[in-house]
């Protein structure tokens, strides 16, 4: 939601690059939420299905402010980095349980988030 909110609200000289990049990223994130929720179901657990539940489970804080384009990039970079750390722990835990399918999915997600950090940083490089 933060990525999509920034996509809508970004202004300034970085508008075009950040608007386009965040669109690609939120589309990837929404697809990933679906794949991961379905994996949770395949493992026999209920998937969170309300905004209230999702907020309660969330580890990434909301942004209700009005950040500049540079602050948006800084916030997203730090969120993606936090997700990479969490995914690494979860992938290791899945491997310990020999759940190679979940470990593989989580590793694929790490690849996306590391690439997102690189691309976001590249947008503000030299600023
Ligand atoms: Fe859009």
């Amino acid at each position: 939601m933060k990525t999509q909110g920034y996509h809508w609200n970004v202004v300034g000289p970085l508008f075009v690059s950040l608007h386009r990049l965040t669109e690609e990223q939120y589309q990837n994130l929404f697809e990933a939420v679906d794949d991961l929720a379905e994996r949770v179901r395949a493992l026999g657990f209920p998937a969170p299905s309300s905004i209230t539940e999702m907020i309660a489970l969330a580890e990434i804080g909301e942004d209700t402010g009005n950040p500049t384009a540079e602050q948006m990039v800084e916030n997203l970079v730090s969120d993606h980095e936090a997700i990479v750390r969490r995914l690494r722990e979860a992938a290791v835990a899945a491997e310990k349980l020999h759940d190679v399918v979940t470990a593989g999915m989580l590793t694929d997600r790490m690849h996306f988030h590391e690439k997102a950090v690189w691309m976001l940083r590249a947008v503000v490089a030299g600023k």
Side-chain angles (χ1 to χ4, degrees), residues 61-83:
E62 290 189 291
D63 184 359
T64 54
N66 186 23
T68 63
E70 285 80 4
Q71 286 166 339
M72 288 177 178
V73 169
E74 207 175 293
N75 294 343
L76 290 176
V77 163
S78 110
D79 291 345
H80 283 291
E81 286 174 338
I83 293 168

Side-chain angles (χ1 to χ4, degrees), residues 20-107:
R20 285 187 183 149
L21 181 59
T22 50
E23 177 158 2
E24 283 174 26
Q25 292 180 342
Y26 79 68
Q27 286 172 348
N28 180 298
L29 290 163
F30 285 160
E31 269 182 46
V33 165
D34 190 51
D35 288 345
L36 293 167
E38 287 173 3
R39 181 67 188 150
V40 169
R41 291 298 301 131
L43 292 170
F45 297 96
S49 55
S50 71
I51 297 290
T52 309
E53 262 180 289
M54 290 177 197
I55 289 172
L57 291 166
E59 294 183 25
I60 300 298
E62 290 189 291
D63 184 359
T64 54
N66 186 23
T68 63
E70 285 80 4
Q71 286 166 339
M72 288 177 178
V73 169
E74 207 175 293
N75 294 343
L76 290 176
V77 163
S78 110
D79 291 345
H80 283 291
E81 286 174 338
I83 293 168
V84 168
R85 288 192 295 274
R86 191 70 182 90
L87 285 167
R88 186 175 293 113
E89 291 169 9
V92 169
E95 270 172 14
K96 277 188 188 152
L97 296 169
H98 307 289
D99 180 355
V100 291
V101 173
T102 301
M105 288 178 81
L106 298 173
T107 306

Side-chain angles (χ1 to χ4, degrees), residues 84 87-88 91 106-115:
V84 168
L87 285 167
R88 186 175 293 113
L106 298 173
T107 306
D108 287 349
R109 292 311 303 160
M110 283 173 67
H111 182 220
F112 165 78
H113 290 282
E114 286 177 351
K115 193 172 168 185

